[in-house]
Amino acid sequence: MPTTLPVPVVFRLPEGWSPADPDKVGAPGVAFAALYPELDDGFRASITIDGEYRPDVASLAEIADESVQRMRELADSVEVVDRAEVGSPDAPGLTQVMRFSAQAGGARRDLVQVQAYLAMLDVNTPNKRAVIRVALTATAAQTDAVIGDFQEFLGTVRPDTGAES
């Protein structure tokens, strides 16, 4: 069953991507999932969004480390190949890229997951912090074809303030 995000967000899917039921595409526990229209050797790239309140003082790097640990419980040969802090003090973020091997679609596959962590602070209560994770998962061979779409998608993710633009 899809979960809800700690703060509402709005975004725009890149052309060709379509929303999918997270449970039906093997992404339980996420609030949103979308699939790329083209298969790569039986695997369809996906974008997922999940998040949680993080009132603790864990840095985004520590939160990203937690994701790596969870991935190691599910996959083999997990390797963080890139990590960078992004954003500003008012809107901090972090990106990381992991390569791993996992059973997916009935076969063992070499996959890449690009994760972006976005911290959203409550302006009225600074210790009320939500962290949203947006992830692209694709085969190693398909990553170059979909990374631009993922970057485009990330550029549209923002808190939903209820104001129309």
Side-chain angles (χ1 to χ4, degrees), residues 60 84-95 117-121 129:
L60 290 178
E85 290 186 20
V86 296
S88 67
D90 292 335
L94 181 134
T95 61
Y117 294 85
L118 310 170
M120 297 181 182
L121 307 175
R129 171 181 67 150

Side-chain angles (χ1 to χ4, degrees), residues 3-7 9 29-32 48-54 63 70 116-118 120 129-135:
T3 62
T4 58
L5 293 173
V7 293
V9 297
V30 303
F32 177 80
T48 58
I49 303 174
D50 65 71
E52 62 185 335
Y53 277 111
R54 291 299 299 242
I63 294 169
R70 282 191 302 273
Y117 294 85
L118 310 170
M120 297 181 182
R129 171 181 67 150
V131 176
I132 304 299
R133 179 177 58 176
V134 183

Side-chain angles (χ1 to χ4, degrees), residues 62-72 96 98 113 115 117 133:
E62 291 168 328
I63 294 169
D65 286 340
E66 292 170 7
S67 290
V68 173
Q69 284 307 113
R70 282 191 302 273
M71 184 65 76
R72 287 191 172 129
Q96 81 176 357
M98 291 186 287
Q113 188 170 86
Q115 299 175 331
Y117 294 85
R133 179 177 58 176

Side-chain angles (χ1 to χ4, degrees), residues 12 16 22 26 39 45-46 50 54-55 75-76 82 85 91-92 98 103 105 107 112 116 129 135 144-145 155 160 164:
R12 190 180 68 253
L39 291 170
S46 66
D50 65 71
R54 291 299 299 242
D76 299 321
D82 189 39
E85 290 186 20
M98 291 186 287
Q103 196 72 20
V112 173
R129 171 181 67 150
D144 287 344
D160 184 358
E164 293 190 29

Side-chain angles (χ1 to χ4, degrees), residues 77-154:
S77 307
V78 177
E79 177 187 8
V80 176
V81 294
D82 189 39
R83 183 181 280 180
E85 290 186 20
V86 296
S88 67
D90 292 335
L94 181 134
T95 61
Q96 81 176 357
V97 179
M98 291 186 287
R99 292 186 183 277
F100 57 94
S101 177
Q103 196 72 20
R108 178 144 308 278
R109 301 181 188 284
D110 292 327
L111 301 173
V112 173
Q113 188 170 86
V114 181
Q115 299 175 331
Y117 294 85
L118 310 170
M120 297 181 182
L121 307 175
D122 185 319
V123 292
N124 298 318
T125 314
N127 67 338
K128 216 174 165 187
R129 171 181 67 150
V131 176
I132 304 299
R133 179 177 58 176
V134 183
L136 167 71
T137 306
T139 63
Q142 194 175 40
T143 301
D144 287 344
V146 296
I147 193 70
D149 285 355
F150 183 65
Q151 291 167 333
E152 175 188 325
F153 178 77
L154 278 176

